[in-house]
Amino acid sequence: EKLNEQIPGAAKVEKFRDLIYGDFLDRSEKPYQVVESEQKCSDIFSEWLDDYNTVNPTKMNIVFFRDCIQHLCRATRVIRQARGNLLLVGVSGVGRKCVARLASHMAEMQCYAIEITRSYGPNDFKEDIKSMMMGVAKNGGKGMVFLFSDTQIV
């Protein structure tokens, strides 16, 4: 709106509302480019999901609707950044963990989640963090996604 006040007709919000960029279109070079359509983005994410399901023992079923596609694009962009942090907020069962796991797979990073038990304490948390950091060191400094849910806060 401020731009249009200074330069009338310069920018229309509708033009940029559904604009999607990503570096997941080409697996080898990973150039950051615009995605022409949601359908193409959904097809690419379906390929990544099939790849995830063949590699990992736990299978995911995701329906790629518009909001899911946009959140997954944002998550992949943030995770690939150096020291990228992401906070996914929503009610239970909306797919926050699935989006985080698929984005980490697309970024070729290992996803690490802790398991909380009744006897889980601060020392256990320190050991989990230590083993996670050792995993990063073993991978040659390649990034890792630490998945932490609100239900795991004790």
Side-chain angles (χ1 to χ4, degrees), residues 70-84:
Q70 291 176 348
H71 290 311
L72 192 53
C73 289
R74 289 184 198 109
T76 55
R77 182 180 66 241
V78 171
I79 286 174
R80 287 183 198 256
Q81 293 176 358
R83 294 181 296 280

Side-chain angles (χ1 to χ4, degrees), residues 49 52-53 56 58-62 97-99 101-102:
L49 181 62
Y52 176 89
N53 286 335
N56 294 300
T58 56
K59 307 294 183 219
M60 286 194 301
N61 295 320
I62 301 176
K97 285 184 183 179
C98 292
V99 166
R101 287 184 192 277
L102 186 58

Side-chain angles (χ1 to χ4, degrees), residues 45 62-73 94-95 99:
F45 288 158
I62 301 176
V63 176
F64 296 110
F65 53 95
R66 175 177 287 188
D67 287 340
C68 180
I69 289 171
Q70 291 176 348
H71 290 311
L72 192 53
C73 289
V94 294
V99 166

Side-chain angles (χ1 to χ4, degrees), residues 6 16 25 102 116 122:
Q6 300 299 320
F16 302 104
L25 299 173
L102 186 58
I116 302 291

Side-chain angles (χ1 to χ4, degrees), residues 75 77-87 109 144-146:
R77 182 180 66 241
V78 171
I79 286 174
R80 287 183 198 256
Q81 293 176 358
R83 294 181 296 280
N85 293 288
L86 191 64
L87 175 65
M109 294 182 184
M144 181 179 284
V145 173
F146 179 56

Side-chain angles (χ1 to χ4, degrees), residues 52 60 62 88 94-104 111 113-115 147-152:
Y52 176 89
M60 286 194 301
I62 301 176
L88 299 174
V94 294
R96 296 181 312 254
K97 285 184 183 179
C98 292
V99 166
R101 287 184 192 277
L102 186 58
S104 68
C111 189
I114 58 174
E115 296 295 324
L147 188 59
F148 189 72
S149 176
D150 60 340
T151 59
Q152 295 171 325

Side-chain angles (χ1 to χ4, degrees), residues 16-150:
F16 302 104
R17 181 165 289 141
D18 296 326
L19 197 59
I20 299 173
Y21 279 87
D23 61 351
F24 45 80
L25 299 173
D26 185 9
R27 291 186 182 208
S28 58
E29 294 183 22
K30 299 193 186 304
Y32 196 71
Q33 56 192 353
V34 68
V35 180
E36 289 86 21
S37 69
E38 278 186 30
Q39 184 60 42
K40 182 176 181 181
C41 201
S42 177
D43 294 341
I44 291 168
F45 288 158
S46 294
E47 289 176 19
W48 279 103
L49 181 62
D50 291 340
D51 186 44
Y52 176 89
N53 286 335
T54 57
V55 173
N56 294 300
T58 56
K59 307 294 183 219
M60 286 194 301
N61 295 320
I62 301 176
V63 176
F64 296 110
F65 53 95
R66 175 177 287 188
D67 287 340
C68 180
I69 289 171
Q70 291 176 348
H71 290 311
L72 192 53
C73 289
R74 289 184 198 109
T76 55
R77 182 180 66 241
V78 171
I79 286 174
R80 287 183 198 256
Q81 293 176 358
R83 294 181 296 280
N85 293 288
L86 191 64
L87 175 65
L88 299 174
V89 179
V91 295
S92 178
V94 294
R96 296 181 312 254
K97 285 184 183 179
C98 292
V99 166
R101 287 184 192 277
L102 186 58
S104 68
H105 178 72
M106 291 171 66
E108 298 173 354
M109 294 182 184
Q110 183 182 358
C111 189
Y112 186 84
I114 58 174
E115 296 295 324
I116 302 291
T117 60
R118 285 187 182 265
S119 62
Y120 195 85
N123 290 332
D124 298 318
F125 183 70
K126 288 177 188 175
E127 287 300 316
D128 282 338
I129 296 293
K130 190 182 350 177
S131 67
M132 185 180 74
M133 293 301 163
M134 292 300 287
V136 170
K138 289 177 185 174
N139 286 338
K142 195 172 186 180
M144 181 179 284
V145 173
F146 179 56
L147 188 59
F148 189 72
S149 176
D150 60 340

